[in-house]
Structure formats: structure tokens, C-alpha cells
């Protein structure tokens, strides 16, 4: 009889514990925006290799809505905050360059979400770093066969052996840029319109 009562008591307690352990959750799971996603933004301030350093916060604003299937995961007007991760000074033959890392995004209602991305350019994630123009040009004769097998010569200007001094790289305020996500972004917040 004691065994039967204990079994009934355990079953009775188990039923009430499972019923009270399931709180009512909203029907919303987090969304994972995959790595490699491009987000169109504009720069909110001018920054350069001359005036900006690694501690200056850089701000960008999304110009378009970013959708994942039917869900607007990054609405237009979302602010992205980043910093200069690496900066190279100009040298002879190469312009200055910098790498800008995006660390978080802030929705219009003030909610912040961490992010792992970089400003993307044609040179990977490096802004600037182009080769400079030649410092000098040399004259070199160039011969080609003319009429009746006579060689005609002309002087050509060719780049000399030295390059000019590099210049600082500057990104203007309002410049259209792309953010490339290097890691997945976990979106746990949405704005109801």
C-alpha cells in the first residue's frame, strides 16, 4: 500500500511540475544572417588615415532594408558602429591604407546587437593602398618597320624607375560603402512597423 501511494505521489508531483515548467514564450526565434552577406551603407562622417586613429568611433547608416526570406532583419536607417582596425602610413610608391572593422549595429529604437564585419572594397577589405604615379618619365627610342623596309624611329615616354610619395587615404562623408559580414549575425530583435 505504501508503494502504491508513493508511486501515485511521484506521478502527481511530476504532472504539476511539467505543467508549471513551460512558460508561455512568444512565437519568435532568433534569425541568423549568414557570413558573406553584403549590407549597403553610407558614411556619417569623414575619416582618413591622416586625422583618424584606432580609437575614433566610425558611424554608418544602412540605405536599404535587408531581408532574409520574408523577414526584414536589418531595416533601413539602422546604424553601424566600427573603428579603424589597422592603418598603414603612406610610403614612396604606395598610398596610405586602412582596414575598418564593424563591431555592432544599433536599431532605430536604441537596441544594439554585436556584429563581425568589415568595410568591403575592390581590394578586399583594404581601403586605399594603391600604387602611386611614377616620379619621372624617361625617353626611349622605339623603332618599327616602315615602308620599303626602312626603320622609322620615334621617342616614347616610359615610366622611370622611381615612384612618387604616397598620399593619405580619405573617405568622404556620405560615401556609399558595403559592409561584408565575416561571421554570422544573430538577430534577436525586430522592429514592428
Amino acid at each position: 500500500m505504501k508503494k502504491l501511494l508513493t508511486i501515485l505521489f511521484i506521478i502527481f508531483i511530476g504532472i504539476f511540475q511539467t505543467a508549471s515548467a513551460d512558460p508561455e514564450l512568444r512565437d519568435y526565434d532568433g534569425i541568423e544572417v549568414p557570413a558573406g552577406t553584403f549590407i549597403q551603407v553610407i558614411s556619417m562622417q569623414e575619416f582618413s588615415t591622416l586625422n583618424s586613429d584606432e580609437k575614433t568611433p566610425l558611424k554608418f547608416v544602412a540605405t536599404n532594408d535587408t531581408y532574409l526570406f520574408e523577414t526584414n532583419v536589418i531595416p533601413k536607417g539602422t546604424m553601424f558602429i566600427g573603428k579603424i582596425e589597422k592603418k598603414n602610413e603612406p610610403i614612396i610608391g604606395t598610398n596610405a591604407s586602412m582596414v575598418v572593422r564593424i563591431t555592432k549595429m544599433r536599431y532605430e529604437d536604441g537596441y544594439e546587437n554585436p556584429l563581425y564585419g568589415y568595410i568591403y572594397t575592390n581590394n578586399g577589405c583594404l581601403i586605399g593602398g594603391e600604387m602611386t604615379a611614377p616620379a619621372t618619365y624617361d625617353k626611349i627610342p622605339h623603332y618599327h618597320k616602315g615602308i620599303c623596309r626602312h626603320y622609322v624611329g620615334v621617342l616614347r615616354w616610359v615610366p622611370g624607375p622611381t615612384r612618387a610619395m604616397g598620399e593619405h587615404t580619405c573617405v568622404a562623408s556620405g560615401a556609399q560603402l558595403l559592409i561584408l559580414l565575416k561571421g554570422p549575425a544573430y538577430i534577436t530583435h525586430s522592429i514592428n512597423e
Side-chain angles (χ1 to χ4, degrees), residues 165-186:
M165 180 63 186
E167 297 176 356
H168 284 281
T169 301
C170 179
V171 176
S173 175
Q176 293 186 353
L177 303 168
L178 285 174
I179 293 178
L180 171 65
L181 295 181
K182 289 287 191 170
Y186 299 101

Side-chain angles (χ1 to χ4, degrees), residues 101-119:
R101 181 177 177 183
I102 306 299
T103 56
K104 62 183 169 180
M105 67 178 175
R106 181 181 300 146
Y107 289 99
E108 290 180 342
D109 62 355
Y111 184 81
E112 292 184 354
N113 201 19
L115 199 64
Y116 176 49
Y118 287 92
I119 297 294

